[in-house]
Amino acid sequence: MSRPMYETPEDLANEKQICNVLTEKFGSEFQKLPIRYHADYLIMKNGTSRGWMEIKQRSIPSYTYSSFLIDLNKVMRMTELSRETSLPSILVVRWSDNRIGFCHINGPFSVVFAGRTDRNDIEDKQPCALIPLSNFIFIDEVDPGILV
């Protein structure tokens, strides 16, 4: 049995807004990928593939926790994309205080068993990567050339 698809039109609109901010800041373009790639976008610059990107939107401020929780399987798949293509995999997060941060998804992080409890889906509890916020670079604190 396949898992339900939880991505909503609002999620896609949030992704587009974040891509627009990143394009303005870094001059990159973003190609939406089919679900089988386990990443949201291919990062492009001047017609050249530069990296893989996963976007997450959080409904809490960036200072709420000292780390970011993400499905370990997502991290493993994106790490595999990096290994096979020699392109970096980037996690981009926008929190409710409108801060946007990014980090390379290959670590360091710890592994915990955690997840959501609000959807009544037993598969929402799983091994997760707990990425310290100190791994993140916030776009309001960097020069435009640093994304990839």
Side-chain angles (χ1 to χ4, degrees):
M1 185 165 119
S2 66
R3 292 226 22 176
M5 182 68 163
Y6 290 113
E7 189 171 61
T8 67
E10 182 181 10
D11 294 329
L12 295 173
N14 284 331
E15 284 182 7
K16 188 147 187 72
Q17 288 173 355
I18 292 166
C19 285
N20 289 340
V21 170
L22 296 174
T23 295
E24 185 176 310
K25 176 76 176 185
F26 300 108
S28 299
E29 298 171 358
F30 305 95
Q31 296 296 318
K32 183 71 173 160
L33 296 171
I35 195 168
R36 70 180 175 268
Y37 284 91
H38 300 279
D40 291 323
Y41 292 89
L42 179 63
I43 304 168
M44 305 287 293
K45 194 158 191 175
N46 300 322
T48 302
S49 300
R50 301 293 299 271
W52 307 98
M53 182 171 70
E54 177 70 14
I55 297 178
K56 296 295 185 184
Q57 173 77 39
R58 290 297 182 252
S59 59
I60 57 172
S62 59
Y63 53 80
T64 304
Y65 298 108
S66 62
S67 56
F68 182 81
L69 189 72
I70 185 170
D71 173 7
L72 181 61
N73 187 58
K74 172 67 73 176
V75 172
M76 292 175 0
R77 299 288 86 49
M78 291 192 68
T79 300
E80 183 179 341
L81 280 172
S82 287
R83 185 177 56 249
E84 295 299 324
T85 63
S86 299
L87 297 172
S89 286
I90 307 292
L91 170 63
V92 176
V93 182
R94 180 171 66 180
W95 285 268
S96 67
D97 55 5
N98 221 28
R99 289 198 79 201
I100 298 174
F102 66 91
C103 70
H104 288 269
I105 206 158
N106 60 340
F109 55 82
S110 56
V111 176
V112 297
F113 192 82
R116 304 176 67 135
T117 59
D118 61 328
R119 297 190 295 210
N120 211 18
D121 183 340
I122 61 169
E123 289 194 33
D124 278 346
K125 292 281 208 168
Q126 59 195 327
C128 293
L130 195 58
I131 303 172
L133 286 192
S134 60
N135 289 12
F136 283 81
I137 298 169
F138 289 89
I139 68 165
D140 56 346
E141 301 170 354
V142 298
D143 293 324
I146 196 169
L147 183 61
V148 288

